[in-house]
Amino acid sequence: MIIILLFLVNFINADSLASQKTNELREMQLRDGIIELNSTGYFYYTMEFPRPYDIVIYFVAPSCKLCNDLNEHYQKVAKFYADSGALYKSESKRAVFFATMTFNDKNKQVFEQLGFISAPNLFVSQPHIVFVPQDERERYLRDMKWTISYTDGTVTAHKFLEFINKRTARQVDYKASTSEALTVIGILLGALTFGGLIFIIARPLFLNPKLWFIGSVIIFITCLAGVVYNIIHNVPFFSQNNRGGLQWKTNSGRQQLGFEGLFLSLGMTFVGLTMVLIMKLKVLLKHQKYSPFTERFLYITLFICIFVMIQFVEENYRQKSHYNPIYWPPKHYIKGPLNKDQGNSF
Amino acid sequence: MSSEEETQQSLPYKVHKSTLKWAPVFNMTILLSIAIISCLIRVFSVIRYESIIHEFDPWFNYRTTQYLVKEGPYALWNWYDSESWYPLGRSVGGTVYPGLMMTSGMIYWVLHKLSIPIDIRNVCVFLAPIFSAFTSLAAYGMTKEITKRSEAGLLSALFVAIVPSYMSRSVAGSYDNEGVSIFALVFTFYTFLKTVNTGSILWGVYTALAFFYMVASWGGYAFIINIIPIFVLFLLITGRSNSRIQVAYNVFYILGTLLAMQIPFVGFQALHSSEHMASHAVFILINFLNFFSWIRNFVSKKAIITLTKFLIVFLVFSILVGVVILTLAGKTQWSGRSLTLLDPTYAKKYIPIIASVSEHQATTWSSFFFDLHYLILFSPVGLYYCYNKPTETKIFGALYTVLGVYFASVMVRLLLVLAPAVSIMAGIGISWAFRKFAKSVRSFILPKIEKPKKYRIPPEISIIGLVILGYYCSIYVLHANFAGSEAYASPSIILSSRDRQGNRNIIDDYREAYYWLRMNTRPDDKIMSWWDYGYQITGMSNRTVLVDNNTWNNTHIATVGMAMASSEEDAFEICEKLDVDYVLVIFGGILNYSGDDINKFLWMVRIGGGVYPHIKEEDYYGKGTYRVDQYATETMTNSLMYRLSYYRFDEVQTAYGQPKGYDTVRQAVIGVKGYKLRHFEEAFTSENWIVRIFKRKQRENRDGVAFTSKSTSQFTIPKEFSPVTKFSKKANTKQRSTLNFQNNE
């Protein structure tokens, strides 16, 4: 009987301690937005049972730029979670709290225990952590922590959410704040209004097909220059070669430099535009009186321009990849009868 | 004889007259020859290699077609494929564009009904070349609709027929969606332009049907459903809209959307996906304007102005209120979604699975030049011609080109959509130049017929021009010929190399290995490989794979990436969880084959790391670069991929004057030599080591853990037994709950 009573008391105690810890954490988070933990707090709230909740802890170091940059996103995520009611446990899910820890001499031990050698780190601490035996620990922790580094690319609140959602089994979505949403709407509407106004003011200009042509050619040149490629791969306009000189093109068929793309795109479009000029030369020069010789000279010059430019483009391409259009078949084609060639189905 | 009659008797006049008489015959003959050429140039791959399905995706299409032919269309609809994406499986019927398979299935059935017992493989292999012939005919029609000139049409047809970009996806054996859908694309545009020119509802229906075929065959139909609304909107803004446009658009939109919904993979996406939004908006707008102008007939001018003002204010206000309410209610997802819409680079920067595919890369100028060659140089001429005296169809051609260039610059694969556009533009431009030059020469030779005009180019210049343009056209043909016979002819599952004497050697490692798998493993064995080879393994070996080229489940791919990037022990655990029996890696270190898994490995790390953050890319960089030599990091040399790829590699000499274990691709001697595998054993390595297959061993017995009783509470654990030791009785029970938890997850 006594044993049962003792057990009950113990049970009730544990239960009340659990709810007490939960309440404390909830109050702290509601007050500060994010709970600031020291090492005592860490051991008390995460490593001592009972703890019927998850804690997400963001480990930072002083004077760590990336930590500060990401802090804003972390706070957002904490707010999304709080807004979605994650501070209270539901039928199947534990409450989730958000805390942060800044590295100093006193809490060094915590960082070491979790195996952090750099900052920032995100860590989702679940009640099970208390049970995990030492030699399973590493594998267990590995799934629960995320050491953020430059190879993770641009880390946003979305990525934080994805990471935390997976580990807390909650489905909290990113919600733009009202001001953010209004800014986006404002910019979009503003741009639309601005475009509409410009169109109304300069309507005759926009209805001019000549302008369409110019616009099209500009788009044509920009796209041909591989601007999207340059943006994605962060390509510099120029670079330096081994000898320290200025380098404006690469020899690799899959890469390009900013200037190279633009220059060759201009060159390629130039051919077409010169061709247009040849077609239209007579009309353009209708008010000038030229001798037939000058006129023919002009035409020949334009043709030479086309020829030289095409040579130039081809020459540049040849340095990047195999390119050799010839009028006769390659040597290996006429080397013997077809059926000596391995691999054909004749 | 009068001078008039004398002229008529002269030779040039006779030639001119008879040419005119025979022109339609020439026209058709040339067009037919172009169609034949477009077929023949694509058969190089069969002549130089063999009649085989190429690359990766075609293997899935081929397998699906086989299933279709064997089981019938309804079975395909309900096909749940358990051989891929183990243990998830894939519902093929609902996630496939069936147009391609249905087409070849249809051809197969018709031929068999006609007692021509053709093999389904040959139907599949030669389908794309046949459709390219149709494409050139459609391009002829489309150009003719744009310019009303058949010579422009003929040039465009020739250019489309052999443009390298299109050939890259439609050589014989390249049995892919694009092979038929580029025809569908051009044909849809042709019928649409025909509707625009005639205003005929019948042609509108044809447009919708052609569009339906396009939707059935390729996801690129989104291009059509966007460009046509943009075109209509452009005409509305510039005040060029008319009733023909309205007929064309309304018929196309209503029927097209309804038909598109019949494809299970599209379904209701045709109503609510963002790709279709433009088409809905323009439909509403065009009919609203129509309605408004109809009302105008019955209302006074003053009332109209008031009405207009009221409508504008009402519209703006309601949109604003609607957007704000939706935002405040949290129904709209601004940040993530709008970012992907506004910034085409978003997905590629942040989603590694998209960035890792080479055909998703952004395009450099050299890709434009290789794949479109001189067409890209001469298409501004066609653009100018179209804008010079714009009609609706010319505007469409120009818009198609400009939008196409934009999309092509975002993604290499979309060069394919641009290819017909620049072919048509270059065709129009060059034929314009040819015509001008020819007219000037004609007026010189036959002044009576071709009256000299003021702005005519001097005849000798015209001859030079004709020669130069002819020369460049011929160079284009040569380049296209090279592309068809060499650059794009390789099936990529058969490789060829050339020795110093110029003899060709066929390297058939892939098929050797896949055949081995087929013959030497149990039918229900699961093969783990990187997703690139998934379709080939299911297609050729008929074995179950974990991931394949239909990259629908990023997490599953990331799991495989994690297994490859983990140490052998960890990988073993993952493999055991996933029931993996064999691991297949591609290794090119002996043959200098650079498309191997070690070179793709960083992407596995990235994709794995995207889901499992403990995989860090920088852990695989030794001294700041990705390397396999002695400076490679421990994580790298311990990874399963490294261990399997270089297993026993130090026993062979690969290059003259280099020590054993010299990797010819990475040009370095491997860092770890003479290691043993603990959980895997080598099962097969192909002739040139390109494909290596390893079998997962059974789990080793745990040393010394011999429970004599079911009750563990009686059991005292000896200290020297490492894995489960070190716990008191209490800890042991706790550990159990951990295990439970892991199982639950």
Side-chain angles (χ1 to χ4, degrees):
Chain A
M1 193 66 195
I2 294 170
I3 296 170
I4 294 174
L5 265 178
L6 265 176
F7 181 74
L8 262 179
V9 168
N10 203 6
F11 183 76
I12 291 166
N13 254 348
D15 204 38
S16 68
L17 182 62
S19 59
Q20 186 198 335
K21 277 165 94 175
T22 317
N23 286 337
E24 279 166 16
L25 281 173
R26 188 179 301 131
E27 265 167 39
M28 276 194 272
Q29 184 163 355
L30 285 175
R31 191 182 63 219
D32 304 334
I34 285 187
I35 304 156
E36 188 80 40
L37 281 181
N38 56 16
S39 61
T40 328
Y42 173 80
F43 286 116
Y44 177 65
Y45 286 117
T46 69
M47 302 304 283
E48 275 178 29
F49 230 63
R51 46 154 299 190
Y53 44 77
D54 292 344
I55 303 191
V56 182
I57 310 172
Y58 181 54
F59 289 91
V60 294
S63 71
C64 152
K65 198 175 163 295
L66 186 60
C67 308
N68 285 336
D69 294 345
L70 295 180
N71 196 20
E72 180 196 343
H73 295 296
Y74 183 64
Q75 282 179 349
K76 260 191 209 166
V77 173
K79 196 165 177 311
F80 296 146
Y81 257 80
D83 289 348
S84 72
L87 295 183
Y88 301 89
K89 69 169 186 190
S90 64
E91 290 159 30
S92 56
K93 288 164 194 161
R94 292 183 289 270
V96 184
F97 299 108
F98 283 77
T100 177
M101 259 182 109
T102 315
F103 180 80
N104 55 36
D105 282 345
K106 282 179 197 157
N107 59 24
K108 213 170 168 179
Q109 197 197 349
V110 177
F111 279 71
E112 276 168 4
Q113 243 182 30
L114 292 170
F116 295 142
I117 45 169
S118 67
N121 297 283
L122 201 63
F123 177 60
V124 181
S125 166
Q126 297 176 326
H128 318 286
I129 189 172
V130 184
F131 301 126
V132 179
Q134 274 304 318
D135 53 352
E136 297 266 322
R137 212 176 155 77
E138 199 184 330
R139 187 171 293 161
Y140 172 76
L141 286 181
R142 209 175 56 189
D143 287 340
M144 288 298 155
K145 67 186 189 186
W146 176 15
T147 304
I148 302 162
S149 66
Y150 68 98
T151 43
D152 287 311
T154 320
V155 177
T156 54
H158 294 275
K159 285 199 177 173
F160 276 154
L161 270 177
E162 204 186 317
F163 178 83
I164 298 168
N165 277 343
K166 261 201 190 122
R167 283 155 186 82
T168 58
R170 282 179 185 262
Q171 199 51 54
V172 178
D173 284 331
Y174 186 92
K175 276 200 194 76
S177 66
T178 317
S179 63
E180 259 181 349
L182 287 182
T183 333
V184 174
I185 298 168
I187 290 171
L188 277 180
L189 283 181
L192 272 180
T193 327
F194 186 71
L197 276 179
I198 291 223
F199 178 73
I200 291 167
I201 292 166
R203 193 180 151 86
L205 190 68
F206 279 102
L207 295 185
N208 185 354
K210 293 267 167 0
L211 191 86
W212 301 347
F213 178 65
I214 293 169
S216 302
V217 168
I218 289 171
I219 295 175
F220 199 80
I221 292 173
T222 328
C223 293
L224 222 55
V227 169
V228 179
Y229 175 89
N230 295 351
I231 294 171
I232 290 178
H233 295 268
N234 242 335
V235 177
F237 217 59
F238 292 105
S239 75
Q240 278 194 332
N241 60 17
N242 310 339
R243 277 168 261 143
L246 193 71
Q247 187 187 1
W248 67 275
K249 60 181 180 187
T250 63
N251 283 340
S252 157
R254 290 185 169 196
Q255 292 161 0
Q256 67 170 23
L257 289 177
F259 181 76
E260 176 194 359
L262 187 63
F263 193 50
L264 280 143
S265 156
L266 280 172
M268 288 194 275
T269 323
F270 173 82
V271 174
L273 296 181
T274 316
M275 201 66 218
V276 175
L277 193 62
I278 291 175
M279 299 288 104
K280 285 279 151 188
L281 194 64
K282 277 269 186 172
V283 184
L284 287 174
L285 299 179
K286 61 185 166 192
H287 300 303
Q288 272 89 2
K289 282 276 171 242
Y290 283 116
S291 71
F293 178 75
T294 330
E295 198 183 280
R296 280 161 179 74
F297 178 73
L298 265 177
Y299 274 115
I300 300 277
T301 321
L302 289 178
F303 275 126
I304 290 174
C305 278
I306 289 183
F307 182 76
V308 169
M309 194 42 92
I310 290 183
Q311 286 295 317
F312 174 74
V313 172
E314 286 184 324
E315 199 45 55
N316 273 300
Y317 185 76
R318 210 165 271 142
Q319 288 170 13
K320 287 185 154 294
S321 180
H322 173 79
Y323 175 74
N324 193 22
I326 38 169
Y327 276 96
W328 45 86
K331 268 188 192 148
H332 58 264
Y333 272 34
I334 38 182
K335 212 170 157 31
L338 259 177
N339 54 12
K340 277 215 161 171
D341 216 8
Q342 250 196 70
N344 63 54
S345 49
F346 287 141
Chain B
M1 240 199 275
S2 70
S3 66
E4 185 84 356
E5 280 169 25
E6 214 169 273
T7 334
Q8 287 191 1
Q9 291 300 318
S10 70
L11 184 70
Y13 178 80
K14 275 183 180 166
V15 171
H16 178 75
K17 206 176 156 194
S18 60
T19 317
L20 273 189
K21 200 166 113 192
W22 286 94
V25 179
F26 282 144
N27 198 356
M28 284 303 121
T29 319
I30 293 170
L31 194 57
L32 198 67
S33 327
I34 290 171
I36 292 170
I37 282 171
S38 73
C39 255
L40 291 183
I41 197 170
R42 285 164 170 82
V43 181
F44 268 122
S45 59
V46 172
I47 296 173
R48 300 198 57 233
Y49 294 90
E50 58 188 278
S51 170
I52 189 180
I53 304 292
H54 286 196
E55 293 202 308
F56 307 106
D57 286 19
W59 275 101
F60 167 75
N61 298 329
Y62 176 51
R63 183 163 159 255
T64 316
T65 314
Q66 278 177 320
Y67 188 87
L68 170 76
V69 170
K70 217 160 60 191
E71 310 280 338
Y74 287 102
L76 174 68
W77 237 227
N78 298 319
W79 187 23
Y80 194 86
D81 178 18
S82 57
E83 283 196 0
S84 56
W85 293 95
Y86 182 84
L88 310 167
R90 174 188 173 191
S91 150
V92 177
T95 57
V96 78
Y97 288 104
L100 178 75
M101 297 98 193
M102 290 291 181
T103 310
S104 35
M106 211 73 90
I107 294 174
Y108 176 83
W109 284 316
V110 167
L111 288 180
H112 274 246
K113 278 274 172 287
L114 297 174
S115 307
I116 304 172
I118 189 171
D119 184 22
I120 185 68
R121 174 172 55 94
N122 284 324
V123 176
C124 295
V125 166
F126 292 102
L127 187 75
I130 292 168
F131 266 78
S132 72
F134 296 155
T135 311
S136 55
L137 299 182
Y140 170 79
M142 181 175 166
T143 317
K144 222 180 151 190
E145 287 307 316
I146 291 177
T147 56
K148 310 271 177 214
R149 289 187 170 278
S150 32
E151 72 269 24
L154 286 179
L155 268 175
S156 304
L158 174 69
F159 290 159
V160 168
I162 58 174
V163 59
S165 168
Y166 179 29
M167 256 192 306
S168 72
R169 291 312 181 106
S170 62
V171 291
S174 186
Y175 179 56
D176 213 342
N177 292 332
E178 290 92 330
V180 296
S181 57
I182 292 302
F183 158 71
L185 178 95
V186 179
F187 191 67
T188 312
F189 286 155
Y190 161 62
T191 45
F192 181 72
L193 292 184
K194 190 91 183 173
T195 326
V196 166
N197 274 338
T198 56
S200 142
I201 290 180
L202 184 65
W203 277 101
V205 174
Y206 292 155
T207 316
L209 287 175
F211 176 65
F212 175 59
Y213 186 62
M214 177 77 190
V215 180
S217 55
W218 193 33
Y221 78 90
F223 186 71
I224 299 183
I225 200 70
N226 280 303
I227 191 173
I228 290 182
I230 289 175
F231 162 69
V232 173
L233 191 69
F234 187 83
L235 292 186
L236 280 178
I237 290 173
T238 51
R240 286 166 183 270
S241 177
N242 55 37
S243 57
R244 283 177 286 120
I245 303 288
Q246 281 163 10
V247 169
Y249 186 72
N250 281 333
V251 176
F252 160 74
Y253 169 79
I254 296 169
L255 278 181
T257 310
L258 281 176
L259 286 171
M261 288 171 72
Q262 308 311 310
I263 304 295
F265 195 23
V266 179
F268 275 91
Q269 274 181 41
L271 294 184
H272 55 65
S273 82
S274 56
E275 286 106 52
H276 289 261
M277 281 305 153
S279 68
H280 307 322
V282 168
F283 176 70
I284 294 169
L285 185 71
I286 197 171
N287 286 303
F288 177 75
L289 288 178
N290 222 353
F291 177 70
F292 196 68
S293 65
W294 178 70
I295 283 184
R296 198 178 280 188
N297 299 334
F298 307 102
V299 188
S300 74
K301 213 173 179 184
K302 210 176 159 190
I304 278 288
I305 292 170
T306 329
L307 194 63
T308 320
K309 275 181 189 164
F310 170 74
L311 274 175
I312 289 173
V313 171
F314 176 74
L315 264 179
V316 170
F317 190 72
S318 56
I319 288 173
L320 258 182
V321 169
V323 168
V324 169
I325 285 176
L326 280 180
T327 312
L328 293 184
K331 290 263 191 262
T332 44
Q333 301 253 317
W334 280 102
S335 292
R337 266 296 171 88
S338 50
L339 216 59
T340 38
L341 282 179
L342 297 176
D343 176 12
T345 65
Y346 180 85
K348 281 185 217 155
K349 272 193 219 157
Y350 302 124
I351 307 172
I353 191 101
I354 294 181
S356 74
V357 182
S358 65
E359 64 182 24
H360 290 172
Q361 300 300 316
T363 318
T364 59
W365 77 268
S366 49
S367 306
F368 274 110
F369 184 73
F370 185 83
D371 272 358
L372 303 169
H373 204 232
Y374 289 158
L375 301 183
I376 205 81
L377 274 62
F378 287 108
S379 49
V381 189
L383 268 181
Y384 180 83
Y385 180 82
C386 284
Y387 284 134
N388 197 21
K389 282 173 192 141
T391 60
E392 293 112 13
T393 46
K394 281 181 187 170
I395 289 175
F396 183 83
L399 262 182
Y400 173 25
T401 314
V402 172
L403 284 177
V405 167
Y406 169 70
F407 286 119
S409 79
V410 175
M411 208 191 269
V412 169
R413 178 147 91 129
L414 293 178
L415 272 175
L416 207 59
V417 173
L418 174 67
V422 288
S423 302
I424 286 166
M425 280 301 130
I428 291 173
I430 291 181
S431 83
W432 180 42
F434 270 148
R435 195 162 63 243
K436 278 216 153 194
F437 292 147
K439 265 189 185 165
S440 116
V441 175
R442 209 153 53 222
S443 72
F444 181 70
I445 302 173
L446 301 164
K448 285 274 158 51
I449 293 166
E450 195 74 53
K451 298 280 179 296
K453 277 189 191 156
K454 207 175 153 193
Y455 299 137
R456 202 143 266 172
I457 298 164
E460 57 274 31
I461 294 298
S462 297
I463 289 172
I464 295 176
L466 282 174
V467 169
I468 285 183
L469 279 184
Y471 170 72
Y472 282 136
C473 285
S474 70
I475 295 288
Y476 168 72
V477 172
L478 293 174
H479 175 73
N481 193 33
F482 163 76
S485 63
E486 303 260 332
Y488 293 132
S490 167
S492 93
I493 54 168
I494 308 173
L495 310 165
S496 74
S497 72
R498 206 173 295 289
D499 62 18
R500 274 194 212 139
Q501 282 79 41
N503 297 317
R504 219 156 60 108
N505 293 312
I506 293 293
I507 297 152
D508 215 353
D509 280 39
Y510 280 104
R511 283 197 295 182
E512 186 193 341
Y514 294 144
Y515 188 69
W516 184 88
L517 272 181
R518 194 188 185 99
M519 303 314 281
N520 295 291
T521 58
R522 280 173 296 148
D524 60 345
D525 275 346
K526 287 95 195 166
I527 321 288
M528 180 170 91
S529 72
W530 190 231
W531 59 266
D532 295 20
Y533 315 106
Y535 279 164
Q536 293 181 349
I537 295 172
T538 41
M540 278 187 263
S541 308
N542 200 18
R543 290 292 175 271
T544 308
V545 293
L546 275 77
V547 289
D548 64 29
N549 311 45
N550 178 267
T551 52
W552 65 275
N553 189 327
N554 189 28
T555 313
H556 211 50
I557 291 178
T559 312
V560 171
M562 175 171 72
M564 296 291 194
S566 306
S567 66
E568 205 190 325
E569 277 71 33
D570 291 346
F572 176 77
E573 299 289 335
I574 301 167
C575 289
E576 195 184 42
K577 269 185 194 164
L578 292 170
D579 283 356
V580 172
D581 297 297
Y582 291 90
V583 181
L584 180 146
V585 294
I586 305 295
F587 174 63
I590 287 195
L591 212 67
N592 194 9
Y593 172 59
S594 63
D596 68 349
D597 276 348
I598 292 281
N599 271 5
K600 290 174 183 173
F601 186 46
L602 269 188
W603 286 111
M604 302 180 203
V605 170
R606 280 176 201 147
I607 291 168
V611 177
Y612 304 99
H614 67 269
I615 311 251
K616 304 295 288 182
E617 195 181 331
E618 67 256 31
D619 291 347
Y620 298 83
Y621 288 122
K623 294 204 159 181
T625 51
Y626 178 67
R627 59 202 311 161
V628 297
D629 59 6
Q630 50 176 325
Y631 300 114
T633 57
E634 211 185 319
T635 322
M636 175 73 194
T637 53
N638 279 340
S639 65
L640 183 68
M641 181 50 76
Y642 190 98
R643 292 263 151 172
L644 298 189
S645 289
Y646 290 122
Y647 180 61
R648 293 200 305 115
F649 184 58
D650 50 335
E651 293 169 15
V652 283
Q653 180 140 25
T654 52
Y656 181 73
Q658 294 288 353
K660 285 182 172 179
Y662 177 78
D663 184 334
T664 50
V665 179
R666 267 65 57 175
Q667 300 192 341
V669 180
I670 54 167
V672 191
K673 291 182 176 179
Y675 56 83
K676 294 255 182 310
L677 296 173
R678 186 168 170 206
H679 298 290
F680 295 87
E681 61 186 345
E682 188 178 4
F684 176 80
T685 295
S686 63
E687 187 186 348
N688 301 297
W689 287 47
I690 286 187
V691 187
R692 310 197 69 183
I693 301 170
F694 292 83
K695 189 177 193 321
R696 178 177 67 88
K697 286 187 197 165
Q698 291 301 312
R699 184 182 278 283
E700 291 164 13
N701 290 347
R702 288 195 168 178
D703 335 306
V705 180
F707 292 102
T708 47
S709 160
K710 276 181 187 170
S711 156
T712 52
S713 57
Q714 309 291 319
F715 190 72
T716 46
I717 299 164
K719 267 196 174 161
E720 63 269 23
F721 296 152
S722 59
V724 255
T725 50
K726 290 181 199 159
F727 309 113
S728 62
K729 214 161 66 181
K730 204 172 151 200
N732 214 351
T733 47
K734 277 177 186 172
Q735 187 207 0
R736 245 202 224 156
S737 61
T738 322
L739 288 175
N740 276 341
F741 142 73
Q742 279 176 341
N743 287 342
N744 285 343
E745 232 194 21

